Amino acid sequence: MSIPCPYCQHPFPPGAQSCPGCGASLLLEAVPGGTQPVCAVHPTLRGLGTCSRCGTFACARCLRSGPQGETLCVRCHQLEPDAPMPWDQRQELGMWRAFWKTLGQVLLHPGTFSHARAEGRTSDSLLFALLCSVPACFMTGLTYMLIFVGMPSLMEAFPESSQPTGDGSGPVFMRWLGVVMFVATTLLGPPLSVLMTLMGAGVDHLVLRAGGVTRPFNVTLRAHSLSEAAWTLGIVPFIGTQVAPFWALVSRFFAYRGLHRTTTGTALVGTLLAPLASCCLCGGGYIGLLFLIFSRAAQK
Ligand SMILES: [Zn+2]
Ligand SMILES: [Zn+2]
Ligand SMILES: [Zn+2]
């Protein structure tokens, strides 16, 4: 529910501190001895809306949006019980429906993190991250296999472009390598990505703590694991794994801000600092490694 701006009547959502219509600050000083309602928490500020639960007036700083979009005061908002995520309701929903519904919620409605239950068991979070990584690992493995199996056939089709391999064991070796790559990526990929989730959450948690977050590590781990939902897009060949990391970062920002009930700034730094730093540190090395592999492959 929105409340009209006292200057221009443009509706503003609870939580806004300046009007989206005219840009005026909504933190209005109350006139001493005046007849206008004042905030129940801040008696020097004018009350702009009433809490739909307890009926007290609240200033712009104290207005909140409830789970159904109703207007709440900051005190009633804090009493609001945290809504479980579908992933927490696996008993009722069944494993796959819970997984599917959680994916939808994380990817399409990340705003719901702001009133979602913050704490979760470590094993529950890691299981979710594990399931999210399976499609991308499977598809990546399949891609490797097709490349390695297909490349020798391609070379045979254009014999003038490739050097003769002597005993002819090259293509067979390449095909076997393709199968080994597929099995390795599909089997080792998911546990490795769970390990990455655990480490990523650990680093992010240190950053978030520095930003003033007080909730424990399992909240960060839960937020980080749920934000891995985007990796299920890895099932779309080639495009999926390009889109997934960015979508995951967007989900992670919402998850950190929501589950830690922290500010936009802290959540943003917590989400981006570690990936940006590791990009700068490892980016050069990674490109170098790729260059080395490709130049070796070209020589052979
Ligand atoms: Zn206005
Ligand atoms: Zn209230
Ligand atoms: Zn107030």
Side-chain angles (χ1 to χ4, degrees):
M1 210 180 83
S2 2
I3 305 149
C5 166
Y7 298 109
C8 70
Q9 306 302 312
H10 191 287
F12 68 89
Q17 303 214 348
S18 61
C19 172
C22 65
S25 169
L26 294 169
L27 294 167
L28 304 174
E29 295 288 324
V31 183
T35 54
Q36 283 155 338
V38 294
C39 174
V41 181
H42 306 98
T44 59
L45 292 174
R46 247 173 76 181
L48 297 182
T50 50
C51 172
S52 65
R53 203 154 297 169
C54 69
T56 57
F57 281 98
C59 69
R61 200 174 282 162
C62 296
L63 285 170
R64 293 288 186 278
S65 198
Q68 269 88 45
E70 72 273 39
T71 305
L72 293 180
C73 71
V74 65
R75 282 180 294 195
C76 288
H77 187 255
Q78 277 166 2
L79 294 175
E80 181 67 29
D82 296 336
M85 302 281 293
W87 187 241
D88 304 316
Q89 299 167 297
R90 294 199 297 285
Q91 296 271 313
E92 299 92 308
L93 294 171
M95 178 90 158
W96 296 110
R97 258 188 85 207
F99 183 65
W100 185 248
K101 289 184 86 166
T102 308
L103 288 183
Q105 191 171 337
V106 172
L107 293 176
L108 303 175
H109 308 284
T112 50
F113 276 119
S114 62
H115 51 81
R117 184 182 296 166
E119 306 243 352
R121 285 215 314 261
T122 304
S123 55
D124 289 354
S125 301
L126 292 181
L127 178 63
F128 187 81
L130 183 79
L131 290 177
C132 289
S133 71
V134 170
C137 291
F138 174 78
M139 200 40 83
T140 307
L142 203 64
T143 310
Y144 277 135
M145 185 162 75
L146 290 178
I147 290 173
F148 277 90
V149 169
M151 212 141 62
S153 316
L154 212 66
M155 284 174 173
E156 281 158 18
F158 301 98
E160 68 275 8
S161 67
S162 62
Q163 304 283 324
T165 46
D167 58 352
S169 66
V172 177
F173 173 71
M174 287 286 261
R175 288 194 180 112
W176 271 108
L177 194 64
V179 175
V180 170
M181 290 279 265
F182 172 71
V183 173
T185 313
T186 309
L187 290 185
L188 298 179
L192 261 175
S193 76
V194 167
L195 199 67
M196 296 286 280
T197 299
L198 208 54
M199 280 167 22
V203 175
D204 287 356
H205 189 65
L206 293 177
V207 177
L208 290 166
R209 281 300 280 263
V213 157
T214 53
R215 294 190 174 183
F217 174 67
N218 73 42
V219 176
T220 306
L221 181 64
R222 176 170 158 94
H224 200 295
S225 300
L226 288 168
S227 75
E228 302 282 302
W231 281 101
T232 53
L233 298 170
I235 198 71
V236 183
F238 305 112
I239 306 157
T241 44
Q242 307 297 312
V243 176
F246 299 100
W247 203 330
L249 283 180
V250 174
S251 312
R252 196 165 306 149
F253 160 72
F254 279 101
Y256 283 162
R257 192 181 66 171
L259 298 190
H260 276 297
R261 308 286 192 270
T262 186
T263 59
T264 300
T266 302
L268 208 58
V269 175
T271 306
L272 292 178
L273 189 66
L276 285 179
S278 67
C279 263
C280 294
L281 287 176
C282 309
Y286 186 61
I287 291 168
L289 193 70
L290 277 182
F291 186 76
L292 200 73
I293 290 171
F294 277 108
S295 61
R296 279 283 169 83
Q299 276 168 21
K300 274 176 187 169

